Amino acid sequence: SQQGEEDPQALSIQEGENATMNCSYKTSINNLQWYRQNSGRGLVHLILIRSNEREKHSGRLRVTLDTSKKSSSLLITASRAADTASYFCATDAKGAQKLVFGQGTRLTINP
Amino acid sequence: NAGVMQNPRHLVRRRGQEARLRCSPMKGHSHVYWYRQLPEEGLKFMVYLQKENIIDESGMPKERFSAEFPKEGPSILRIQQVVRGDSAAYFCASSPRAGTDTQYFGPGTRLTVL
């Protein structure tokens, strides 16, 4: 079955550095989304990229999508302590209405 | 326009009891999705409902779990005879139409089974 998988599972960097997280998936998609989840809290939608798009920006976020490799990356530039959270990619499957989430990347920004 | 509401936010049950989780979708949304998140894992799809209909329950355990979305009132996820393995965060999402690009998530209900 389709599954998004994030890499790395955990990432710890210094404040001000850039953080890059990757996501791989297995089947054709209509879109791919990234979410943030602070510890014990709900999901915050960050960005959606459609299958016909290659790159998208939102503030300090940059998302790329390579459908030939079935992979996506999320770049957070100039990281801040408040960016400490788990980040999940979620994909759909053409014809299905459900989101398939990866295991997530736990990002820690050290002050 | 209020977001997706879930209650209770925290629920504690003893093994064998029933758990009822409620989800009120955003105004104008007639599609509801339930997801479960086990500790240290991503969300897993459970069930997709439209008003009064279950559209896709492929992620729902066959026993003890049921879901409904009545014509009036919130969507309910019901877990009978809870076991410790049911301890998780349960998230509801709603959307105005079928599709994955418009799902808005609620804050979740954290179920703890003692």
Side-chain angles (χ1 to χ4, degrees), chain A residues 31-51:
Chain A
N31 60 66
L32 183 145
Q33 302 179 63
W34 284 91
Y35 290 84
R36 185 183 74 224
Q37 184 180 37
N38 291 85
S39 181
R41 306 295 290 272
L43 293 171
V44 174
H45 184 265
L46 296 177
I47 198 163
L48 177 151
I49 187 165
R50 299 193 185 278
S51 60

Side-chain angles (χ1 to χ4, degrees), chain A residues 19-85:
Chain A
T20 299
M21 288 158 273
N22 302 297
C23 167
S24 61
Y25 57 93
K26 296 180 180 177
T27 64
S28 296
I29 61 172
N30 290 310
N31 60 66
L32 183 145
Q33 302 179 63
W34 284 91
Y35 290 84
R36 185 183 74 224
Q37 184 180 37
N38 291 85
S39 181
R41 306 295 290 272
L43 293 171
V44 174
H45 184 265
L46 296 177
I47 198 163
L48 177 151
I49 187 165
R50 299 193 185 278
S51 60
N52 61 353
E53 298 175 309
R54 291 296 168 259
E55 187 171 311
K56 206 161 182 180
H57 297 255
S58 176
R60 293 185 296 114
L61 306 180
R62 173 180 167 243
V63 169
T64 62
L65 179 65
D66 186 334
T67 53
S68 67
K69 295 181 180 178
K70 291 186 168 60
S71 67
S72 173
S73 68
L74 170 67
L75 168 67
I76 304 174
T77 61
S79 63
R80 305 167 181 170
D83 294 329
T84 294

